[in-house]
């Protein structure tokens, strides 16, 4: 009589065991609720639950990427830009991610959009174009503070693209052109100043040592005389100078 119930009991036991035995991968965790109350977090590997009584929710612990769509934002200097970004985060506390927020993925995505608009709205266009690393860190810190109660860690933020209308692009191009023109004028003026300073020093040296001026004159004449079809005229009257000139021309 008992043997007739062995097979059904075994079948029921196998069914219960298959429902009670669960397995999750290395990068997953399972949050268990027992009669509606948080029981704990299980995984990775095999574990047992009580069928019907226990409810499980699986959470992925890998880094998740959020593609934040383009956000139309007005910067601090009243320029309209369209900015999109990529947010990276991971779940550190699966129980908090399930119990503290209804849908942590959707909540993190919406929070990323609003934080991006808030940060961009507090800076000027020049900062947005030149200080992306600083802006990325500011957005990451704000997101990390807001998502910390949810058991989520924001690991990175990257501003991907900044779009500006054609009118503003032309204005930026004119500004850049004017900036380059200013730099070129400054460099030219600095060169003129340095040249004038050197000429002043040379004039002072020639004034203090007249022989140096004469040697310079002779050197200049010798350089000009390299061209064989040129005639060099000098006002030198001293015999030694004329002899030196003749010797120099003869060698050339």
């Amino acid at each position: 009589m008992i043997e007739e119930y062995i097979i059904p009991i075994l079948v029921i036991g196998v069914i219960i065991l298959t429902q009670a035995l669960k397995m999750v991968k290395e990068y997953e965790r399972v949050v268990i609720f027992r009669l509606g109350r948080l029981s704990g977090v299980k995984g990775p590997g095999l574990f047992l639950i009580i069928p019907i009584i226990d409810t499980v929710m699986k959470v992925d612990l890998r880094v998740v990427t959020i593609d934040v769509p383009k956000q139309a934002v007005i910067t601090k200097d009243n320029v309209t830009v369209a900015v999109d970004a990529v947010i990276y985060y991971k779940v550190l506390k699966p129980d908090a991610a399930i119990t503290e927020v209804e849908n942590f993925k959707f909540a993190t995505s919406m929070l990323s959009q609003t934080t991006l608009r808030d940060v961009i709205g507090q800076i000027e266009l020049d900062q947005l174009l030149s200080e992306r690393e600083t802006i990325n860190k500011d957005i990451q810190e704000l997101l990390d503070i807001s998502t910390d109660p949810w058991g989520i860690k924001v690991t990175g933020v990257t501003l991907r693209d900044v779009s500006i209308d054609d009118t503003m692009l032309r204005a930026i191009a004119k500004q850049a052109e004017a900036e380059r023109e200013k730099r070129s004028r400054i460099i030219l003026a600095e060169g003129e100043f340095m040249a004038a300073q050197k000429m002043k020093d040379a004039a002072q040296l020639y004034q203090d040592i007249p022989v140096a001026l004469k040697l310079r004159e002779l050197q200049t004449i010798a350089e000009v005389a390299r061209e064989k079809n040129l005639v060099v005229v000098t006002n030198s009257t001293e015999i030694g100078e004329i002899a030196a000139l003749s010797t120099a021309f003869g060698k050339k």
Side-chain angles (χ1 to χ4, degrees):
M1 190 68 179
I2 298 177
E3 296 177 354
E4 295 179 358
Y5 296 100
I6 291 178
I7 296 178
I9 292 175
L10 290 176
V11 172
I12 295 173
V14 171
I15 294 174
I16 294 175
L17 183 61
T18 56
Q19 295 296 321
L21 188 62
K22 299 292 181 181
M23 182 184 69
V24 292
K25 299 181 179 64
E26 180 66 30
Y27 55 83
E28 294 175 333
R29 297 293 185 272
V30 168
V31 180
I32 300 176
F33 293 91
R34 181 161 296 167
L35 295 177
R37 299 177 65 88
L38 179 64
S39 177
V41 179
K42 299 291 185 179
L46 293 171
F47 59 93
L48 293 173
I49 64 170
I50 302 175
I52 302 175
I53 295 178
D54 289 345
T55 304
V56 298
M57 299 188 70
K58 189 182 296 184
V59 179
D60 196 322
L61 300 185
R62 292 176 293 182
V63 175
V64 180
T65 303
I66 298 178
D67 185 7
V68 181
K70 280 188 178 296
Q71 305 293 309
V73 186
I74 300 177
T75 61
K76 188 177 180 179
D77 50 350
N78 297 322
V79 178
T80 302
V81 296
V83 185
D84 62 345
V86 179
I87 311 295
Y88 303 92
Y89 74 90
K90 64 185 302 183
V91 178
L92 297 182
K93 300 177 181 178
D95 51 347
I98 296 298
T99 58
E100 297 297 331
V101 61
E102 181 181 1
N103 187 333
F104 66 88
K105 293 182 179 180
F106 179 76
T108 305
S109 177
M110 292 297 102
L111 182 63
S112 301
Q113 296 180 27
T114 56
T115 304
L116 178 63
R117 289 195 295 267
D118 291 342
V119 173
I120 300 301
Q122 297 175 4
I123 61 177
E124 297 183 355
L125 179 61
D126 291 341
Q127 292 178 276
L128 177 60
L129 298 177
S130 61
E131 301 178 5
R132 289 200 180 188
E133 292 297 328
T134 303
I135 298 171
N136 291 340
K137 292 180 180 179
D138 292 342
I139 296 174
Q140 179 180 349
E141 290 177 358
L142 291 174
L143 285 174
D144 203 25
I145 293 173
S146 300
T147 58
D148 184 66
W150 305 343
I152 293 174
K153 171 67 177 178
V154 178
T155 59
V157 175
T158 302
L159 292 179
R160 189 167 56 181
D161 186 30
V162 178
S163 300
I164 309 172
D165 58 18
D166 295 338
T167 303
M168 185 54 60
L169 286 176
R170 287 193 293 269
I172 293 174
K174 290 181 180 179
Q175 180 183 2
E177 184 178 357
E179 183 68 25
R180 293 189 183 94
E181 182 68 20
K182 182 186 74 172
R183 292 178 183 176
S184 66
R185 290 178 181 271
I186 292 174
I187 293 173
L188 181 61
E190 289 177 349
E192 292 290 341
F193 175 79
M194 294 175 65
Q197 186 68 40
K198 292 297 181 183
M199 292 178 66
K200 174 186 174 183
D201 295 341
Q204 184 67 40
L205 178 62
Y206 290 146
Q207 182 180 359
D208 296 339
I209 309 175
V211 178
L213 178 60
K214 197 64 178 177
L215 291 175
R216 178 59 181 164
E217 178 185 356
L218 295 175
Q219 182 182 4
T220 304
I221 293 174
E223 291 177 355
V224 174
R226 291 177 183 175
E227 298 293 335
K228 296 181 179 180
N229 58 346
L230 294 178
V231 177
V232 180
V233 179
T234 177
N235 61 353
S236 299
T237 58
E238 298 181 3
I239 297 175
E241 295 176 355
I242 297 175
L245 286 174
S246 301
T247 302
F249 294 154
K251 291 182 179 180
K252 294 297 181 180

